[in-house]
Every structure is written in C-alpha cells, then in structure tokens.
Amino acid sequence: MKTIKFLSTIAFAGTLFIACSDDDNENPDPVNEEETITTMTVTLIPQGGGDTVTLTSKDLDGDGPNAPDITVSGNLSANTIYGGGVVLLNETETPAENVNEEIEGEADEHQFFLIVGGGLNATTTYEDDESDYVSAETGENFTSTNPVGIAFTLTTTDASSGTLAVTLRHEPKKPNDGTLADAGGETDITQTFDLTIQ
Amino acid sequence: MKALLLIILWAIVPMSSVAQECRDTLNGKVTDYHSKVPLENARITMVGRSLEVASDPSGNFAIPDLCPGSYQLEVSHPECKTLLIDIEVDGTTPLNIKLEHHLEELEEVKVFGDAINDKTNSAQEERLKLETLERFSTGSLGDALKELGGVSSLNTGANIVKPTIHGLNGSRVLILNDGVRMQDMEWGDEHAPNIDINSAGSVSVIKGASALQYGGDAIGGVIIMDRARIPIKDTLYGKTMISGVSNGRGGNITTELVKAFKSGWFVKGQGSFKRLGDHEAPDYVLSNTGIQEIGSTIEFGKQRFTSGWDAKYSYFNSEIAILRASHIGNVDDLIRSINNGQPEIIGPFTYDLQNPRQEVTHHLGKFRFYKRFEGLGKLNFQYDYQNNRRFEFDVRRGERGARASIDLELTTHTLSTDFKWDANEKFQLQAGLLGRYQENFANPATGVRRLIPDYEKFDFGGFALGEYQINDRLLLEGGLRYDFTRIDAKKFYQTSRWEERGYNTEFQDLIIEDLGTQLLVNPVFDFHNISGTLGGNHKFDDDSGIKVNYTLAQRAPNPSELFSDGLHHSAARIELGDLRIASEKSHKIAAAYYKDFSSWGFELEPFANWVDDFLLLEPSSVEFTVRGAFPVWEYRQTNARLLGVDAFIYVDWGKPWRTEHRFSLVKGRDNENNSPLINMPAAHLRNKIAFVKPEWKNFEVALESQYVFRQNEVPGNISVFSPEQQQNVLLEVNTPPRAYHLMGLQSKIGFPLGKHANLTTSLVVNNLLDTKYRDYLNRQRFFADDLGRNIMIQLKFNY
C-alpha cells in the first residue's frame, strides 16, 4: 500500500513538472552577421584621364551557399598608371557598413596583397602605410610604416591578359616579403579578377 | 484513582516475578529481509551469557528457561550482517528476526573501499580504480579512460578530450556523473565532458548500450563515474593531492573532506584547481594552449539501509585556450598549414589564455531518495538540474574579441524513478521511468549567426530489465526500453541556404516568419525509439568464463546533426546538418572470454556493431564566399559496420615482476559506399612491465610502451579549387599521420605520517623520449605536433 502511495506521488509530481514546462512562444531575435564582408570594390583610375575600371565581388549571403558575383567593368589600357583603391562593404546591414574603417583602425593587423598572375603585364605598388591611418585603440596615427594596401598603384605595360588577386589578411606577419606564403595570417577576403590589357 | 492503581500494580508486579520461576521461552524465526526466505544456521547469542542457539532449516529457534526481563541478542549468519536486538521477555515471547542477506545489495552501507558492482552481467565492462584516476589528476577524464581496452579519444589539442568507445563518441557515449546523465552539449567535436576527474571515486565503462537503465541511445557505450562510498560510522577523513607538471609548467591541487556519523548522516566537500600555461611539442611551444579549471562539489544526506537521501551541488568551470595557429581563414590557409609542417604562429611560453578560447561553466544539482520495502525491493527517486553555459571566443575584427562568437545556455531538468525487485534469490527485476525537459538558448548578442538554434526538448523513457540466475554458473539477463523525444526548435535559415538544402519543397510549412534574406522556421520533430538487450554470463569454472550480449539501440539525432549550419572558423569548414535526419539504429553483438592460469591470464573481447542510418560528418564539397573557398562538411546517413577486438594478457613472472599487454582494433566500414568510415581509431598495442614491492613502502615502478599504428583505412581526400593557386588541389584532410611509439614511466612510494595519515609520492613521465608525433584523432594534427615529454610529480596526503 505504502509502495503504491509512493509511486503514485512520484507519477503525479512528474505530471506537474511536465505541465509546468510550457513554452512561452516567443520568437528569437534574428542575428545580422556583423563581421561579414559582402562586397569588395576595387577602383582603378587612370592617371591623366581615361576610363575608370571597377572590379567588384559581391556575395550578399556571406558565408551562405551562393558564390560571389564577380564583375569587371572593362579592359585596362596598355602602358598606363592606375591609381587603385579598395572599398569593403557589409551590405547585409542597412545602410551598408563600410568595413574600411575597421581595417584602417587596425591597419597594423591587416594587409592587402595585390598579386598579378597568369601573364598579365602589370605591377602593383603600395601607396599607403600604417602611419596614414588612425589607430582605433589609441586614437592617434600609427607610428609604424608597413604597407596596408587600401591605396595602391597598378602600372600596365604591353597588351596581355591574366589575373589580379586581391587578398586581405588578418594578423599576417608584418613586415613580410610581399607574398601570401610568407605573410601567413587568416584570409578575411580574397578574390581573383580576370583582366585584359589592350 | 489512577495513581492508586499504579501503586498497586507496582507493588504486585515485582512480587509476582519473584514468585515466578524462570520458565519463559523465546521463540523466533530468522528470515531474509528481502525474500523472507528462512535462514538456517543463524547463531543467536545472549549477550553477557554463555548461551547460544542456532536456527533450524526452517529458520526457527527457541531459547527456553528464561527469566522475564530484558535481554540483548546478537544474531549472526555467515552471509549476513550481524545484528544486535534488545528484547523484553515475558512469558512465551515470539521474535522475528530479519537479516540483510544480500551482501551485494548493501551498497549504501558498505565500508569505504573498492565495493562497486558491475553495472551489467553480460556486457563488456571495465573499470578504472581510484589510484589510476589519481595519476590523471592534472589531465582529463578522456585521458584516464584510454587506459582501458577499446577506449580512445577524439582530441582538439591536449585539453579537449572526448572519450571514444569502440570507435564512437559524442552523443553515442553517455556519461553518468554520480547517477546524473551529463547534458553538456556533447554533440560538438570540440566540446569535452564538463567533469572534474578528481571528483570521481571510480569510473566504469560499458562498451555498448546494454545498460538500458541509463538510456537506450548509447550506441558507443556508457561511462559511469561513481563517488567513493561513505561509511556509516563516526569518522572524519580527507585527502589532498598536489601535482606539478613540466609540460604546461603548471599543476593541480585537489582536496576533499568527509564527515560521517553512525546515524547515517554525512557531509562531503571536494574542490580542485588546475592551471597550465602553453603546452610544448618537442620542437616548439604550442602557442595559446593553456587551461584553467575549477571544480567543486558539496554533498550531504542521510543514508541507512532501509531508506536514505542525499543532495548534491557541483560546479565546474574551465577556460581552455585553443592553439592560435589552428584558427584559419579559408581553404588556402588550411592547405598552407598542412604543407608547412609546423604551426605558423609560435610565440614564447605564456600562461595567458587568448582567443581563440572557450569558457564553459557547468552547474549540477541533484536530489536522490531511496527506500527499501521489506520482502520486495528498493525504490529510487531522483531529480537533477543542470545548467551548461558555453562561450567560444574567436579572433575577430574590430573590438569584438572580448565578445563571444558562440554563447549558448543549456538548461536541463530530469526526474527519474526506478524500482528494483530483489526479493527473489534467482530472479531480479528493475523497472523505471524518466522525464526530461531541456532548453537551449543561443544568445543573439554575439553578432554571429547561431550555429545551434534555440530549442526545447522533451524526453520520456521507460524501461524494464530482468536477470535470472539459472544455476551457480549461468546467468541470463534481458531488457527493453522505450524513449520518446520531441525537439521543438526555432531557427533562422538564410533564404539561400534553405533553398540550397531543398527545404523549400519539403519543409515550407515550417516557416513562421520571412525576413527576406532570412527565414525563421519552427521544426518540431518526434522520435520514438525502442531498445533492447539480451545476454548471458557463463562460468566454466572459477578461473574462466564467457559473456555474450546482443543489444539493439536507437538514438535520436542531436541538435547539431539536425540544425548545424554555418562556418566553423576553428576548422575552416562549413558544417551542415539536415532536417531529414532520422534515428540511428544499432545492432551490436559483443562477447568476452577470460581465463586465468596460475601465473598468467587473458581476456578476449570481440564485437560487431551494425548501424543502420549511421550518422557521420565528412567533407563532401566546396563552397565559395568572399573569404575564399571552404570545404563543406555535411552530415549524412549510411549503413555502417564496425568490427573490432580488445585483447588483454597479463603474466606474473614471479614476484615482484609483472607484465601487461593490451591490443585494440576497430574497423569501420560504410557499407553503402563500400569505403572506410572517417575518424576510426587506429589499432594500438600497449605493453607494460611493472616492479611491485609492497614491503618497500608500497614501492612500484612501471615502464610502458605504446605503439599506435597508422590508420590505413580512411575515406578519400577531396579536390578543391584554390583561388590562390588558380587550380584544383587535393585537400589532404583525410590523410592519416604516421604510426608512432611512445614510452612512459610511472613510479610511486608511500610513507606513513603518524597513526592515521600517510603520504604517497609519485612520478610519472609521459613521452619519455620526447618523440615527435601526430595522432589521427587529434583535430589539430594539421597544424602542429602533439605533446612532447611531460614530467609529473605528485604528493598525496590521506588523513
């Protein structure tokens, strides 16, 4: 008898306990990925006039399954010096967030690598260094002078076709010999553009 | 009036007793408490007199010619606990005496020491004793369990060690911490059990799911941590252990104190603290691999034979730094790491724990009550509460490093009860019920899309187990269990992912909110699982026997397998779960044969495990993002077969020399694709020679060799397009590292300190020869070598 009483008490307690755990039907808040870079725009402006060439890589679903959309606005002219600039955006937020600000604030932890490949007759040169940017930590310009690569020049020679790979590394070895292999670090963004010089 | 009557009585009674001659008789019967079976040959002694009688075959006894008055009897029986009984004899006095006959059932009253039962009769089962656990005081549960045959581990570096039984780990291995099933996000490869090894008194491993009282889903096995028994007597004792290690340049201190009373009351406190800095491989520092761990437990209760209760609270916090070089950006970074041969980031030694790192806190509260019913059995009732909070910090851009990338809180309430009928000598039955409610909250403040969604989970289970002792040599056991699981999740999917998975055709009705680029969905899945076991244990003679067991086990998929969807930076991979995943179903046959000769013996344990809808996570394809390419690791189901054997031989070469030899092998096969299964442990062989001389202050020294073969059976590598190299390259994520051989040394000696205290000092050296190696089941094998030499010195005070 005692046994039955015990068992039934427990069974009853169990029912109560299940009954209490009613869900509150509140929906979770969505998360907008903060660190995503969706869009990279490389602008190449010829010195002394001519058509500006814009290279864009856009991946609005970030780390999602869709591959980035790559566009190249036109061909480069031979024997021309282009002033280059890179702009990074996070377009999952409205208005789109300019990620350059964060890169500049941590210029000593970042570097763009502009690698010409596949027989393209062109060279790139860094046009900025860390001391051009204000450190987010100290509020003052960096004192170190390693290259960053937000601003650069691209110099073309003869007509040819090939690639320009733009890679942003986080926490690379600085200074480095300008190759990705030596720099190490983590890739924040990378895209290879097919270009033609005519 | 009343007073007068009392006076008269008072006057008459002594007179009458004087007048009476001593002709009273004590008639009685001695029976077993549980089964009420009469006990023969119980000796009944009158304390203070030289009078002793024995019970006859029907348990009856009689002590004639007694004078009225009070007596004390001592009742003893060879198989029972001796009992003292006070009795008032007046005339022919009847007395029924109940003795506790089941010595093995005396768990709660047994004196401190090695008194743990086997959890099953027919399954492969092994146990780690306290002294072995103490050797791993600065390590983890997973490290210690590798001492057992058939147990290996899946590691993320040296600090995150997931126990693997017969090739299976994670949700397929249940961990019971003092009767509480751990609910600590065991689904992730880089989630270690949140357990302080120093809180355990012993650990048993059941290699399979046959212990159905703990759950029906232990396709790999069950790990049961028990605390040491607390005696029922007035006593105060404790232990303090201080260990220092060279690799990591830190150590561990652990202490416990127990106060017990004869009345059954007890209180126990335990605490430990561990701190290590960067570990070191033979050639370099493994930067950012330190750890800090705090564990404490307080427990009190009242334990008696017939009933008892205890309450417990335990706290565990660990902060683990993860090898800096293992945090990478994309597939090119991974290829570079694999080709480099040494980590990209090697800094000077430090105790700092930097990002990437994880911080996990586990709270566990438990209340247990038991009561024995005479001639029937024992009822258990338990409620437990667990709260697990996990933060994972990544290397992040901007000032986000201090904000966790993963912030999960898992809360679990469990109510369980069982009843064990043990009245019958030959036949025992145990039946129980379980209800569990679990809630996971994924904090959106991380600024990173949730890897695991918010969910609620309901479990309900019921089981019945029986065992039948056919004769002295043969025992049969069997059991059945049913489990119901409902998982009710609310998850955001990227619209592109929802469509890529094809969910828009099958699960469109689950959408409760459409935010354009994201969809909020509410999957509610029910799983009904049935498990069963059947086995036997036959002893040929005192020195040899065989155990055979078949178990059917079913496991409902965990949240990671269903809902995982996102980029794992620590592994540079995109992990994808699948809403269509069903329960796994395993059929496992295991046997164990042992034989002891005069100076040597062996044990052979083969098994075969067929798993229908076996869940595995393996690289399948590549996805491109602006960050570059990432290998996609997808959960998929297949029919798998695991075969293996564990062998153990010991030889006593004449005192004081003894050797032990162990070999374990597992072969896993994907029967649908006819290819090997990923992450199966390699075969390994361990040989140990020990010199034990108890007369030299318990001196012991042992040299151990461990040879781990190369895992030759692995799935193929995948080919990926490398944006950096502008061509397809082979991503060697499945290429196994070479075989390796490690030597180890253990030594120990004890000194008495006064009457009740003693000191044991021990020296342990792992990887004695500072061998460079990488292990197939270490997820950091792509980035760095494994640990170099480690010297540990330990002082243990028992008082």
Side-chain angles (χ1 to χ4, degrees):
Chain A
M1 191 55 220
K2 238 176 163 181
T3 319
I4 292 161
K5 220 156 114 187
F6 257 115
L7 291 173
S8 53
T9 310
I10 283 154
F12 179 66
T15 329
L16 267 183
F17 156 84
I18 300 282
C20 291
S21 57
D22 205 17
D23 64 338
D24 42 0
N25 268 325
E26 255 178 52
N27 288 340
D29 296 327
V31 175
N32 283 314
E33 191 92 8
E34 287 177 15
E35 272 162 284
T36 304
I37 302 170
T38 57
T39 313
M40 171 162 75
T41 311
V42 180
T43 316
L44 298 168
I45 304 169
Q47 288 179 6
D51 288 341
T52 296
V53 178
T54 313
L55 320 175
T56 318
S57 167
K58 191 185 262 199
D59 188 354
L60 290 178
D61 76 341
D63 297 333
N66 295 343
D69 219 0
I70 302 164
T71 52
V72 175
S73 70
N75 293 334
L76 297 168
S77 309
N79 301 311
T80 308
I81 299 173
Y82 287 88
V86 189
V87 176
L88 304 179
L89 297 178
N90 176 5
E91 294 191 76
T92 60
E93 292 186 11
T94 345
E97 183 204 352
N98 187 332
V99 185
N100 278 34
E101 289 162 21
E102 274 180 19
I103 310 288
E104 290 170 12
E106 289 179 346
D108 60 334
E109 289 179 12
H110 288 92
Q111 185 173 348
F112 281 99
F113 293 84
L114 306 134
I115 313 281
V116 173
L120 188 75
N121 288 322
T123 52
T124 58
T125 327
Y126 287 106
E127 289 299 330
D128 61 352
D129 67 50
E130 291 158 4
S131 67
D132 295 331
Y133 303 109
V134 178
S135 163
E137 200 178 351
T138 63
E140 310 207 346
N141 279 53
F142 288 99
T143 51
S144 49
T145 55
N146 295 308
V148 182
I150 295 174
F152 64 97
T153 51
L154 178 106
T155 310
T156 62
T157 55
D158 298 340
S160 54
S161 61
T163 58
L164 174 69
V166 184
T167 305
L168 173 64
R169 283 277 168 86
H170 187 201
E171 297 194 0
K173 183 175 97 187
K174 269 189 146 184
N176 52 60
D177 68 4
T179 64
L180 290 165
D182 184 53
E186 288 151 38
T187 306
D188 267 353
I189 183 161
T190 184
Q191 198 49 264
T192 304
F193 300 97
D194 291 322
L195 296 178
T196 304
I197 300 172
Q198 62 181 23
Chain B
M1 186 64 207
K2 244 184 193 170
L4 183 70
L5 207 73
L6 269 175
I7 291 165
I8 295 168
L9 272 170
W10 181 76
I12 294 168
V13 171
M15 270 168 59
S16 64
S17 86
V18 168
Q20 196 184 15
E21 290 172 43
C22 293
R23 296 211 167 222
D24 289 358
T25 303
L26 182 64
N27 284 325
K29 185 168 182 166
V30 186
T31 53
D32 179 280
Y33 178 91
H34 304 269
S35 59
K36 298 189 169 170
V37 170
L39 292 175
E40 187 186 0
N41 256 332
R43 311 207 73 79
I44 300 101
T45 316
M46 285 276 183
V47 177
R49 295 189 187 196
S50 57
L51 184 65
E52 187 183 284
V53 295
S55 59
D56 67 12
S58 21
N60 293 321
F61 68 93
I63 307 177
D65 304 333
L66 290 172
C67 304
S70 51
Y71 297 91
Q72 193 173 39
L73 301 178
E74 186 182 290
V75 189
S76 63
H77 187 270
E79 290 162 44
C80 302
K81 199 183 158 200
T82 301
L83 207 63
L84 285 174
I85 298 169
D86 292 309
I87 179 140
E88 198 77 24
V89 175
D90 186 15
T92 301
T93 309
L95 173 68
N96 283 319
I97 302 172
K98 295 164 210 139
L99 290 184
E100 333 290 15
H101 186 203
H102 292 200
L103 272 182
E104 77 275 16
E105 277 306 311
L106 290 175
E107 283 176 8
E108 284 78 17
V109 293
K110 205 160 240 182
V111 185
F112 188 68
D114 183 36
I116 305 101
N117 297 312
D118 280 354
K119 312 290 175 188
T120 65
N121 295 298
S122 64
Q124 294 176 1
E125 190 172 333
E126 268 191 272
R127 185 181 312 141
L128 278 181
K129 283 197 241 156
L130 187 61
E131 55 188 274
T132 316
L133 293 171
E134 285 173 347
R135 219 169 69 220
F136 290 90
S137 179
T138 56
S140 63
L141 176 69
D143 292 322
L145 288 170
K146 283 199 270 188
E147 291 287 296
L148 302 176
V151 185
S152 51
S153 68
L154 178 65
N155 285 30
T156 303
N159 295 326
I160 301 176
V161 186
K162 282 179 89 73
T164 300
I165 302 173
H166 282 169
L168 303 173
N169 58 42
S171 299
R172 299 183 184 113
V173 172
L174 309 193
I175 299 181
L176 276 119
N177 180 0
D178 195 15
V180 178
R181 179 172 175 174
M182 293 297 288
Q183 301 285 341
D184 56 353
M185 312 194 192
E186 71 291 338
W187 55 68
D189 279 353
E190 67 283 20
H191 301 182
N194 296 142
I195 281 179
D196 176 12
I197 186 169
N198 295 298
S199 67
S202 73
V203 182
S204 301
V205 171
I206 300 162
K207 301 172 201 170
S210 51
L212 293 181
Q213 61 270 45
Y214 305 118
D217 51 351
I219 290 174
V222 186
I223 295 167
I224 301 164
M225 299 180 50
D226 286 317
R227 68 157 158 77
R229 301 270 168 238
I230 293 170
I232 302 185
K233 63 177 183 186
D234 290 322
T235 178
L236 174 71
Y237 59 90
K239 175 175 91 172
T240 299
M241 221 162 34
I242 300 166
S243 321
V245 295
S246 66
N247 199 338
R249 306 184 203 174
N252 175 66
I253 176 161
T254 176
T255 188
E256 67 174 60
L257 200 61
V258 180
K259 173 76 188 137
F261 300 90
K262 206 163 68 184
S263 56
W265 285 95
F266 72 92
V267 54
K268 178 183 174 177
Q270 185 262 342
S272 36
F273 177 76
K274 174 162 106 180
R275 187 75 172 90
L276 300 177
D278 287 343
H279 287 83
E280 282 161 73
D283 294 342
Y284 42 78
V285 173
L286 298 166
S287 280
N288 203 41
T289 53
I291 182 170
Q292 173 171 302
E293 217 172 82
I294 301 166
S296 63
T297 304
I298 177 108
E299 191 175 359
F300 60 92
K302 188 174 187 183
Q303 47 180 1
R304 292 214 314 232
F305 184 76
T306 47
S307 68
W309 59 271
D310 53 83
K312 172 177 168 169
Y313 166 73
S314 91
Y315 169 84
F316 179 82
N317 173 280
S318 77
E319 202 176 335
I320 303 174
I322 294 164
L323 184 70
R324 178 62 184 84
S326 71
H327 189 273
I328 52 175
N330 66 15
V331 74
D332 281 312
D333 298 347
L334 179 61
I335 293 168
R336 201 173 64 237
S337 298
I338 293 173
N339 294 341
N340 265 356
Q342 78 165 43
E344 232 167 46
I345 299 163
I346 300 173
F349 172 87
T350 169
Y351 286 101
D352 290 350
L353 308 174
Q354 282 160 352
N355 295 358
R357 67 192 164 90
Q358 41 178 262
E359 193 187 331
V360 191
T361 308
H362 194 88
H363 300 271
L364 186 157
K366 175 186 121 171
F367 176 80
R368 186 174 79 107
F369 169 81
Y370 65 87
K371 184 165 173 62
R372 266 173 221 278
F373 296 91
E374 199 185 314
L376 205 59
K378 180 179 169 187
L379 173 78
N380 273 307
F381 168 79
Q382 181 174 304
Y383 164 75
D384 57 78
Y385 166 83
Q386 295 179 73
N387 179 285
N388 190 282
R389 187 82 189 264
R390 164 174 289 269
F391 295 105
E392 291 186 15
F393 297 89
D394 265 344
V395 177
R396 297 178 76 173
R397 214 177 47 237
E399 301 293 304
R400 298 187 187 90
R403 219 184 333 149
S405 298
I406 291 180
D407 177 351
L408 298 173
E409 185 174 9
L410 185 71
T411 311
T412 313
H413 302 266
T414 309
L415 205 58
S416 59
T417 178
D418 70 86
F419 193 85
K420 192 167 182 177
W421 284 267
D422 54 8
N424 192 304
E425 284 288 291
K426 286 192 180 306
F427 182 71
Q428 290 194 2
L429 188 68
Q430 186 185 5
L433 291 172
L434 170 142
R436 178 178 290 135
Y437 169 71
Q438 184 173 74
E439 186 183 29
N440 184 58
F441 170 68
N443 192 346
T446 55
V448 176
R449 286 193 337 103
R450 302 166 175 92
L451 269 175
I452 299 290
D454 289 13
Y455 72 80
E456 289 182 306
K457 192 161 117 130
F458 306 86
D459 288 296
F460 176 78
F463 71 89
L465 296 169
E467 60 179 71
Y468 186 57
Q469 185 86 43
I470 292 177
N471 55 41
D472 280 356
R473 302 226 175 275
L474 181 63
L475 184 143
L476 294 181
E477 67 176 352
L480 263 181
R481 184 178 173 111
Y482 164 77
D483 285 281
F484 166 76
T485 300
R486 165 171 290 179
I487 186 157
D488 180 345
K490 282 187 178 157
K491 175 172 168 62
F492 286 98
Y493 277 93
Q494 287 173 300
T495 310
S496 56
R497 176 68 68 202
W498 184 258
E499 286 161 6
E500 181 267 336
R501 297 270 90 191
Y503 294 157
N504 52 345
T505 52
E506 266 176 84
F507 298 108
Q508 200 68 6
D509 55 324
L510 300 183
I511 297 173
I512 52 175
E513 212 176 317
D514 188 342
L515 302 171
T517 55
Q518 292 196 67
L519 301 169
L520 177 63
V521 297
N522 180 207
V524 181
F525 296 131
D526 289 348
F527 301 93
H528 300 271
N529 290 329
I530 287 172
S531 38
T533 182
L534 197 64
N537 177 344
H538 180 68
K539 290 191 180 85
F540 299 109
D541 48 53
D542 285 347
D543 300 319
S544 64
I546 189 166
K547 297 197 274 191
V548 181
N549 178 278
Y550 161 79
T551 301
L552 160 74
Q554 287 195 78
R555 180 179 74 87
N558 65 36
S560 169
E561 290 155 344
L562 289 167
F563 304 120
S564 222
D565 125 66
L567 184 61
H568 246 291
H569 281 288
S570 59
R573 65 198 202 187
I574 291 170
E575 285 187 6
L576 297 179
D578 200 321
L579 295 178
R580 305 168 187 99
I581 280 172
S583 290
E584 282 184 322
K585 190 194 273 182
S586 142
H587 302 270
K588 184 171 183 175
I589 296 176
Y593 176 70
Y594 68 91
K595 190 159 173 64
D596 291 310
F597 301 91
S598 58
S599 63
W600 71 287
F602 70 90
E603 218 173 302
L604 201 62
E605 301 186 329
F607 75 89
N609 192 355
W610 292 270
V611 190
D612 298 341
D613 291 325
F614 183 79
L615 262 159
L616 52 88
L617 178 64
E618 63 174 19
S620 59
S621 58
V622 176
E623 277 181 8
F624 292 91
T625 76
V626 283
R627 281 174 207 261
F630 289 93
V632 176
W633 287 61
E634 239 173 304
Y635 283 100
R636 73 176 171 91
Q637 294 194 285
T638 185
N639 291 330
R641 184 198 69 198
L642 292 103
L643 298 177
V645 65
D646 302 325
F648 171 66
I649 299 172
Y650 71 88
V651 187
D652 282 319
W653 298 91
K655 278 192 175 143
W657 296 98
R658 177 182 161 100
T659 60
E660 289 180 6
H661 316 270
R662 284 174 195 275
F663 175 75
S664 287
L665 174 74
V666 184
K667 282 182 169 295
R669 195 131 198 99
D670 175 344
N671 280 344
E672 280 179 20
N673 291 357
N674 203 23
S675 67
L677 289 180
I678 195 167
N679 283 348
M680 284 294 126
H684 72 270
L685 178 67
R686 284 178 20 188
N687 294 293
K688 179 166 149 180
I689 176 159
F691 176 92
V692 183
K693 200 91 179 166
E695 43 286 38
W696 298 354
K697 299 189 181 301
N698 280 320
F699 177 70
E700 271 180 51
V701 62
L703 192 66
E704 191 179 61
S705 133
Q706 183 183 7
Y707 185 81
V708 177
F709 291 80
R710 184 169 187 267
Q711 177 54 280
N712 289 320
E713 298 187 358
V714 293
N717 287 312
I718 57 168
S719 171
V720 300
F721 180 79
S722 156
E724 197 175 310
Q725 298 178 35
Q726 287 292 304
Q727 59 178 346
N728 278 317
V729 290
L730 194 66
L731 185 60
E732 295 199 64
V733 280
N734 284 330
T735 303
R738 285 195 298 269
Y740 62 88
H741 179 230
L742 301 180
M743 296 293 290
L745 180 86
Q746 302 149 20
S747 170
K748 183 161 99 169
I749 190 161
F751 307 95
L753 297 175
K755 217 172 153 190
H756 295 294
N758 61 63
L759 166 71
T760 309
T761 60
S762 44
L763 171 78
V764 177
V765 186
N766 294 322
N767 196 358
L768 190 64
L769 305 175
D770 214 16
T771 308
K772 269 173 68 172
Y773 73 100
R774 296 190 183 201
D775 189 89
Y776 175 60
L777 288 182
N778 190 333
R779 297 170 74 244
Q780 286 178 355
R781 72 174 196 273
F782 305 126
F783 309 104
D785 288 338
D786 226 302
L787 298 190
R789 183 186 298 121
N790 185 19
I791 303 168
M792 180 183 90
I793 292 172
Q794 189 175 73
L795 301 176
K796 181 178 79 163
F797 304 91
N798 285 94
Y799 41 86

